[in-house]
């Protein structure tokens, strides 16, 4: 059960609500976010919701049978919209594209990418400055100085930045320079990191774990929300399977299911999802038909020379074509949805 409190709820009213909850053996967890004051109630007993819902100080009350509550669509019918400012929004019914290299490498590369994005009217650039790499000997990113360099250039071009944060200790330094903080697949259940990201007022893109279930992804999002941050997007990036013909098994089912279960925007990552450049476009288009609110994909002027993930990275010609086809597909899907 979720209780939404009124903005001006008094201490006495809170006390009375707490007493009413304990009288039916429900445990209340206080949650305060950028947008509201909630009590998340967990208990087993059947009771008449009107007995609590009519108490002073309560704005609304919802029964949510899902084990995750705040991220469930069962209480919030309107989809969450992430507003990055300057007219860039995600989840408002439009289609969002985030594109860029796997890793930020140098100034020239950032300039090339920004020009490419501007030519294609893409407003959000992806790139890692802290890279989770399977081998410790691989390129691990330019760090905070790389982010600052990128930020100067992106800001001047009116482009927003999405970049991965790997550790709680990195958050504070990164905050001024990132528009979206990405939680990578390997950190999808790093609960300390999720707790900390719940305490900042910055949109979070949360990736599904390498072998994470859909429920585990929703629980991870609940960590962020229940710590106070409602600005969350979920990302399907493929899961580990027995198949060796591709890098990850992009779970198209997850897109459709997540769109039904949660009010949070759902973003597809076809680059990591299949891990092979030649097929990224097909998976991107399929994810749009499955209901994705946006796509995050890897692009580079010369993918063969990329410091990481070159094998799944599109060159600018491929990227431009994919962007065009994605927009057409999104419009087509939208039109068909009104049939
Ligand atoms: C990335 O976005 O480059 C990345 C490392 O993604 P993931 O966490 O999905 O592997
Ligand atoms: Mn990558």
């Amino acid at each position: 059960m979720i209780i939404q409190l009124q903005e001006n709820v008094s201490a006495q009213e809170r006390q009375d609500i707490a007493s009413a909850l304990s009288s039916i053996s429900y445990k209340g967890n206080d949650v305060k976010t950028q947008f509201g004051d909630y009590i998340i109630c967990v208990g087993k007993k059947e009771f008449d919701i009107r007995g609590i819902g009519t108490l002073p100080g309560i704005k609304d009350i919802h029964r949510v049978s899902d084990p995750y509550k705040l991220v469930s669509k069962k209480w919030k019918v309107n989809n969450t919209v992430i507003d990055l400012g300057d007219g860039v929004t995600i989840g408002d019914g439009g289609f969002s594209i985030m594109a860029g290299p796997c890793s930020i490498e140098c100034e020239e590369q950032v300039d090339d990418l920004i020009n490419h994005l501007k030519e294609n009217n893409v407003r959000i650039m992806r790139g890692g400055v802290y890279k989770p790499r399977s081998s410790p000997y691989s390129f691990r990113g330019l760090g905070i100085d790389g982010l600052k360099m990128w930020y100067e250039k992106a800001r001047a071009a009116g482009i927003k930045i999405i970049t991965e944060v790997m550790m709680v200790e990195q958050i504070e330094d990164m905050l001024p320079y990132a528009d979206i903080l990405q939680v990578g697949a390997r950190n999808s259940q790093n609960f300390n990191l999720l707790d900390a990201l719940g305490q900042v007022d910055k949109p979070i893109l949360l990736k599904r774990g390498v072998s994470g279930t859909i429920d585990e992804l929703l629980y991870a999002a609940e960590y962020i929300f229940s710590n106070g941050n409602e600005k969350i997007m979920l990302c399907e990036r493929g899961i580990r399977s027995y198949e060796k013909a591709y890098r990850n098994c992009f779970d198209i089912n997850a897109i459709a299911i997540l769109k039904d279960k949660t009010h949070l925007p759902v973003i597809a990552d076809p680059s990591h999802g299949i891990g092979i450049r030649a097929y990224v476009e097909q998976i991107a288009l399929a994810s749009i038909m499955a209901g994705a609110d946006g796509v995050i994909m890897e692009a580079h002027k010369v993918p063969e020379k990329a410091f990481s993930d070159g094998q799944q990275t599109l060159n600018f010609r491929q990227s431009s074509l994919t962007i065009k086809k994605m927009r057409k597909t999104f419009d087509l899907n939208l039109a068909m949805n009104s049939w």
Side-chain angles (χ1 to χ4, degrees):
M1 179 168 68
I2 297 175
I3 294 175
Q4 277 178 281
L5 296 172
Q6 282 169 358
E7 268 157 45
N8 53 358
V9 60
S10 70
Q12 184 58 50
E13 286 166 344
R14 274 184 186 273
Q15 186 64 48
D16 293 343
I17 296 166
S19 307
L21 285 174
S22 73
S23 74
I24 54 166
S25 308
Y26 267 58
K27 184 178 174 302
N29 300 276
D30 292 331
V31 169
K32 189 171 176 53
T33 73
Q34 307 103 328
F35 305 126
D37 242 324
Y38 311 87
I39 306 175
I40 312 308
C41 315
V42 185
K44 290 201 172 67
K45 212 163 127 182
E46 268 306 310
F47 64 95
D48 186 339
I49 200 167
R50 290 168 296 185
I52 292 196
T54 50
L55 289 174
I58 292 183
K59 185 165 148 192
D60 214 342
I61 186 162
H62 318 262
R63 263 191 212 274
V64 181
S65 49
D66 293 332
Y68 41 83
K69 311 274 179 211
L70 289 158
V71 303
S72 169
K73 214 176 203 167
K74 289 197 179 143
W75 76 278
K76 189 166 177 271
V77 183
N78 293 331
N79 285 324
T80 288
V81 177
I82 311 279
D83 189 352
L84 300 180
D86 304 318
V88 185
T89 51
I90 301 164
D92 62 350
F95 178 61
S96 301
I97 301 173
M98 309 172 195
C102 181
S103 306
I104 297 297
E105 299 167 0
C106 62
E107 291 201 29
E108 191 189 341
Q109 177 222 29
V110 171
D111 290 335
D112 288 342
L113 246 308
I114 286 177
N115 287 336
H116 171 66
L117 298 185
K118 282 173 75 175
E119 274 167 24
N120 286 282
N121 198 22
V122 171
R123 302 289 306 277
I124 309 172
M125 179 167 160
R126 63 144 289 145
V129 296
Y130 294 111
K131 295 304 302 176
R133 303 306 302 277
S134 298
S135 162
Y137 309 118
S138 303
F139 177 64
R140 293 167 73 176
L142 295 181
I144 192 73
D145 291 337
L147 179 57
K148 287 180 186 170
M149 174 273 288
W150 176 18
Y151 173 82
E152 294 299 328
K153 291 173 183 292
R155 268 295 169 276
I159 290 203
K160 304 292 178 186
I161 286 180
I162 172 168
T163 193
E164 176 165 353
V165 57
M166 287 179 63
M167 296 195 304
V168 173
E169 294 73 18
Q170 291 164 348
I171 297 174
E172 201 178 321
D173 285 348
M174 293 175 79
L175 274 182
Y177 309 107
D179 299 290
I180 304 170
L181 290 172
Q182 171 178 323
V183 178
R186 293 157 191 80
N187 264 322
S188 194
Q189 284 188 308
N190 178 340
F191 299 121
N192 293 325
L193 183 61
L194 301 177
D195 278 344
L197 291 172
Q199 287 156 37
V200 299
D201 187 18
K202 185 70 75 175
I204 308 296
L205 180 133
L206 173 65
K207 288 198 167 194
R208 182 176 180 185
V210 175
S211 55
T213 65
I214 292 171
D215 268 7
E216 283 168 339
L217 177 61
L218 290 164
Y219 274 125
E222 188 86 7
Y223 265 86
I224 300 172
F225 199 135
S226 64
N227 271 280
N229 188 358
E230 297 196 21
K231 299 176 183 174
I232 310 165
M233 291 156 261
L234 302 177
C235 180
E236 166 58 37
R237 49 79 71 201
I239 46 176
R240 174 80 41 101
S241 81
Y242 53 80
E243 184 53 66
K244 295 277 184 281
Y246 41 74
R247 182 179 182 190
N248 290 301
C249 181
F250 185 81
D251 182 5
I252 197 107
N253 304 353
I255 307 259
I257 289 177
L258 286 169
K259 282 301 293 175
D260 191 43
K261 282 185 181 264
T262 177
H263 51 80
L264 301 174
V266 176
I267 307 296
D269 177 349
S271 306
H272 295 86
I274 189 155
I276 304 168
R277 187 183 311 136
Y279 311 124
V280 167
E281 179 179 291
Q282 284 153 276
I283 303 309
L285 302 184
S287 73
I288 294 167
M289 297 309 285
D293 296 287
V295 165
I296 183 167
M297 64 178 204
E298 291 180 337
H300 192 287
K301 190 175 178 186
V302 190
E304 295 75 12
K305 292 196 176 154
F307 288 8
S308 56
D309 283 354
Q311 82 290 347
Q312 65 192 32
T313 300
L314 304 185
N315 64 34
F316 289 170
R317 187 184 49 79
Q318 293 165 325
S319 165
S320 297
L321 194 58
T322 300
I323 288 166
K324 222 178 265 163
K325 290 190 192 178
M326 289 195 298
R327 289 189 172 129
K328 271 259 182 252
T329 305
F330 186 80
D331 290 345
L332 178 69
N333 194 30
L334 211 58
M336 287 195 298
N337 283 341
S338 62
W339 284 3

